[in-house]
């Protein structure tokens, strides 16, 4: 009976956490001299580029720690989360992070708080998002009523022969022509940021497992209203522990292997979500509940049953 009650309590707790966490998990912090940050401007419209710069005091790149950031909306929901790795931070500790204001998460107009955390040091800054469409207009030139004198006709110059333009080089796939030179196209950062724990576990965000998680999140889960609500609540819980675990993985290769072995079966079960039609509330919700139930059985019910059998076996031998 005790084991049955424990399993029921565990299933109920995880189900509640899976459907979102109310309120905000973070309080606005005062500016930190150890992690000063600033933005290029204070007001942004829809589609504008937000650029935040800062410096990590007494930065030591050999520590292997990443700089975590998140953006919180006026209603205290996390709209974006990510991490700058060691190779994205300058040797003197300075850094710059840019992202686009707008999208499915930027629904409300008002003050958005951008928070950065490096180890125990935290700092935040607030910017104002006005939404709408980005319009750039110029004032009309002043009208001059003074009549201009008629210009004296000049003899027409003899036209010079136009030089024959040189053929432009043909760029291959993944490159584009810039100033006559083929350059590699820089892909935009995926919306919503990456999975910090999985990225640290597999060593790079270009790993197939990390790309698969990102595709399931952006193309399937986020295609429905219930999926967006779930990810909003899940990000609140996930951010509370994921930066610490990701730093531990980079500092301890053995722990990295353990985490990789632990999350690989869960990544495999998420392949069930590919059966859902994008935008279908019923299919995404039904298959999502199936994936949650499968992981509960695999990570909680099965180990608990094995432990119960072993305990019963040793108890019967006494």
């Amino acid at each position: 009976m005790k084991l049955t009650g424990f399993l029921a309590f565990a299933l109920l707790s995880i189900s509640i956490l899976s459907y979102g966490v109310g309120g905000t998990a973070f309080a606005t912090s005062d500016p930190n001299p150890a992690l000063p940050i600033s933005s290029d401007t204070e007001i942004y419209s829809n589609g504008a580029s937000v650029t935040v710069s800062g410096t990590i005091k007494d930065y030591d790149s050999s520590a292997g720690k990443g700089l975590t950031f998140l953006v919180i909306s006026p209603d205290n929901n996390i709209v974006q989360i990510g991490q700058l790795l060691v190779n994205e931070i300058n040797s003197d500790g300075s850094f710059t992070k840019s992202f686009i204001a707008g999208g499915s998460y930027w629904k409300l107009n008002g003050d958005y708080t951008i928070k950065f955390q490096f180890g125990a040091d935290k700092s935040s800054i607030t910017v104002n998002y006005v939404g709408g469409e980005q319009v750039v207009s110029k004032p009309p030139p002043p009208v001059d009523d003074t009549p201009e004198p008629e210009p004296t006709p000049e003899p027409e110059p003899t036209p010079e022969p136009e030089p024959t333009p040189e053929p432009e080089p043909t760029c291959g796939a993944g490159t584009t022509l810039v100033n006559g030179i083929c350059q590699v196209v820089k892909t935009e950062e995926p919306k919503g940021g990456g999975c910090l724990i999985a990225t640290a576990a597999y060593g790079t965000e270009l790993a197939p497992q990390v790309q698969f998680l990102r595709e399931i999140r952006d193309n399937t889960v986020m295609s429905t209203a219930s999926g967006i609500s779930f990810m909003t609540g899940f990000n609140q819980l996930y951010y509370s522990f994921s930066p610490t675990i990701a730093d531990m993985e980079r500092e301890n290769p053995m722990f990295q292997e353990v985490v990789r072995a632990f999350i690989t079966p869960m990544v495999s079960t998420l392949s069930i979500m590919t059966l859902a039609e994008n935008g279908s509330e019923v299919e995404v919700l039904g298959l999502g509940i199936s994936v949650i139930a499968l992981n509960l059985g695999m990570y909680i019910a099965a180990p608990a049953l094995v432990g119960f059998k072993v305990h019963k076996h040793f108890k019967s031998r006494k």
Side-chain angles (χ1 to χ4, degrees):
M1 291 299 293
K2 292 183 177 180
L3 177 60
T4 304
F6 171 77
L7 290 177
F9 176 77
L11 290 174
L12 179 61
S13 299
I14 295 179
S15 298
I16 294 175
L17 290 176
S18 299
Y19 281 96
V21 179
T24 177
F26 307 95
T28 303
S29 59
D30 294 333
N32 188 350
L35 187 60
I37 58 176
S38 61
S39 63
D40 54 344
T41 184
E42 295 181 356
I43 301 177
Y44 297 91
S45 60
N46 186 21
S49 176
V50 182
T51 301
V52 179
S53 304
T55 304
I56 303 172
K57 299 297 184 181
D58 301 326
Y59 175 65
D60 182 9
S61 59
S62 62
K65 294 183 178 180
L67 176 65
T68 304
F69 71 90
L70 75 160
V71 183
I72 300 177
S73 64
D75 57 352
N76 291 327
N77 284 324
I78 295 178
V79 300
Q80 190 165 353
I81 180 175
Q83 192 173 49
L84 296 179
L85 303 181
V86 175
N87 59 353
E88 298 176 286
I89 305 175
N90 298 324
S91 59
D92 61 352
S94 61
F95 61 88
T96 300
K97 175 60 185 176
S98 298
F99 48 88
I100 301 300
S104 58
Y105 282 122
W106 295 66
K107 299 178 180 179
L108 302 177
N109 296 348
D111 291 337
Y112 282 70
T113 302
I114 306 174
K115 294 187 177 183
F116 282 83
Q117 178 176 351
F118 182 78
D121 295 326
K122 302 179 181 179
S123 192
S124 64
I125 191 172
T126 300
V127 299
N128 185 261
Y129 175 67
V130 297
E133 296 182 359
Q134 187 176 12
V135 179
V136 179
S137 59
K138 295 182 179 179
V143 179
D144 188 1
D145 297 332
T146 304
E148 296 182 357
E150 296 182 359
T152 303
E154 297 180 357
E156 297 183 357
T158 303
E160 297 181 358
E162 297 183 356
T164 303
E166 297 182 0
E168 296 182 349
T170 302
C171 299
T175 61
T176 184
L177 186 64
V178 179
N179 297 328
I181 302 175
C182 293
Q183 297 183 1
V184 177
V185 178
K186 182 179 179 182
T187 58
E188 294 185 358
E189 182 180 349
K191 61 180 180 179
C195 177
L196 303 184
I197 295 178
T199 300
Y202 293 105
T204 173
E205 60 182 24
L206 299 179
Q209 295 86 347
V210 179
Q211 295 289 343
F212 173 72
L213 290 175
R214 182 179 292 116
E215 291 177 2
I216 290 294
R217 180 198 64 195
D218 294 343
N219 300 332
T220 302
V221 178
M222 296 293 294
S223 67
T224 63
S226 59
I228 293 176
S229 299
F230 170 79
M231 289 305 303
T232 300
F234 176 78
N235 284 340
Q236 297 278 4
L237 174 65
Y238 181 76
Y239 179 73
S240 64
F241 61 85
S242 59
T244 302
I245 295 179
D247 287 338
M248 293 172 60
E249 290 181 75
R250 297 186 185 94
E251 296 171 359
N252 191 331
M254 183 64 68
F255 181 68
Q256 181 186 30
E257 293 295 332
V258 172
V259 174
R260 182 186 304 175
F262 181 78
I263 67 175
T264 296
M266 180 186 64
V267 174
S268 299
T269 62
L270 288 174
S271 60
I272 298 176
M273 296 299 299
T274 59
L275 301 176
E277 182 180 355
N278 294 347
S280 175
E281 291 280 354
V282 175
E283 293 186 10
V284 171
L285 184 60
L287 292 177
I289 294 175
S290 300
V291 171
I292 293 173
L294 180 60
N295 281 277
L296 289 176
M298 181 170 53
Y299 286 101
I300 296 180
L305 181 60
V306 172
F308 175 74
K309 292 291 185 181
V310 172
H311 175 73
K312 184 177 180 180
H313 173 73
F314 282 104
K315 187 176 180 180
S316 62
R317 295 181 61 183
K318 293 182 179 180

